[in-house]
Amino acid sequence: MSRVIRMEPLTAKAFAPFGDVLEVSGAPDKIINQGLCGRYHDRATLDFADGRSGISLFDAEPRSLPMRLEMVERHPEGSQAFVPMSQEPFLVIVAPDEGGVPGVPRAFLTAQGQGVNYHRGTWHGVLTPLAAPGLFAVVDRIGAGANLEEHWFDAPFEVTR
Ligand SMILES: NC(=O)N[C@@H](O)C(=O)O
Ligand code: NI
């Protein structure tokens, strides 16, 4: 099996098994604020067990390509959304669950302004900006107990354009 993962453009359709894509696409669901704002309403499903939702800010170091992928993680107790606070594209890595362990990962490159919301329990790579500033608002579960499961691959993958 090839250990090379080529990036794909992020689309809502391709990402649907893993989560929601946050983007201003098509006509807004509502026009608000005296006609001066389009509201793209309720575009991601938040899902938290035994806790509450919170908003945190992440300031992450940019990575360079090709990138060595050694690990993915998942949050069994909650979804996790990453909303970029810059217009820089970032790398989104996900993997299907195959009996409790991740299958072959997929790598998506966001377009400017796209964010993602990982569904609860989705295997994903950690936040991976590709250019500074790596500033993101993160909506995820705030609560007690472990909400992080890591899987370290037997051999690394190489993520490339
Ligand atoms: N650990 C943490 O807060 N961040 C990760 O979950 C991540 O997906 O980056
Ligand atoms: Ni995470």
Side-chain angles (χ1 to χ4, degrees):
M1 171 183 70
S2 167
R3 305 298 291 187
V4 174
I5 303 169
R6 294 205 177 276
M7 293 192 296
E8 311 167 51
L10 180 65
T11 66
K13 183 176 180 184
F15 196 69
F18 307 104
D20 310 296
V21 174
L22 297 169
E23 58 185 341
V24 174
S25 62
D29 299 298
K30 300 179 182 178
I31 300 295
I32 59 174
N33 299 353
Q34 295 76 47
L36 298 177
C37 175
R39 178 175 173 134
Y40 293 78
H41 182 67
D42 193 19
R43 292 300 179 95
T45 303
L46 305 185
D47 177 8
F48 306 109
D50 306 326
R52 62 176 175 85
S53 61
I55 299 178
S56 304
L57 298 179
F58 283 24
D59 184 4
E61 289 296 322
R63 291 2 177 242
S64 55
L65 296 173
M67 187 190 86
R68 183 183 173 96
L69 176 69
E70 297 178 303
M71 180 272 283
V72 290
E73 60 168 44
R74 65 179 174 178
H75 308 296
E77 303 301 322
S79 55
Q80 188 175 48
F82 290 92
V83 183
M85 299 177 79
S86 78
Q87 286 292 308
E88 297 298 334
F90 63 104
L91 185 57
V92 175
I93 293 169
V94 288
D97 183 56
E98 295 178 353
V101 295
V104 177
R106 292 177 69 178
F108 295 97
L109 180 64
T110 66
Q112 281 190 326
Q114 285 183 319
V116 291
N117 176 55
Y118 298 122
H119 287 331
R120 178 175 169 180
T122 291
W123 290 109
H124 59 279
V126 299
L127 177 59
T128 308
L130 296 175
L135 288 176
F136 291 76
V138 180
V139 183
D140 61 3
R141 177 183 176 268
I142 308 296
N147 185 30
L148 174 63
E149 181 181 350
E150 294 183 344
H151 177 90
W152 293 81
F153 295 112
D154 296 336
F157 289 91
E158 179 183 88
V159 180
T160 185
R161 292 191 187 282

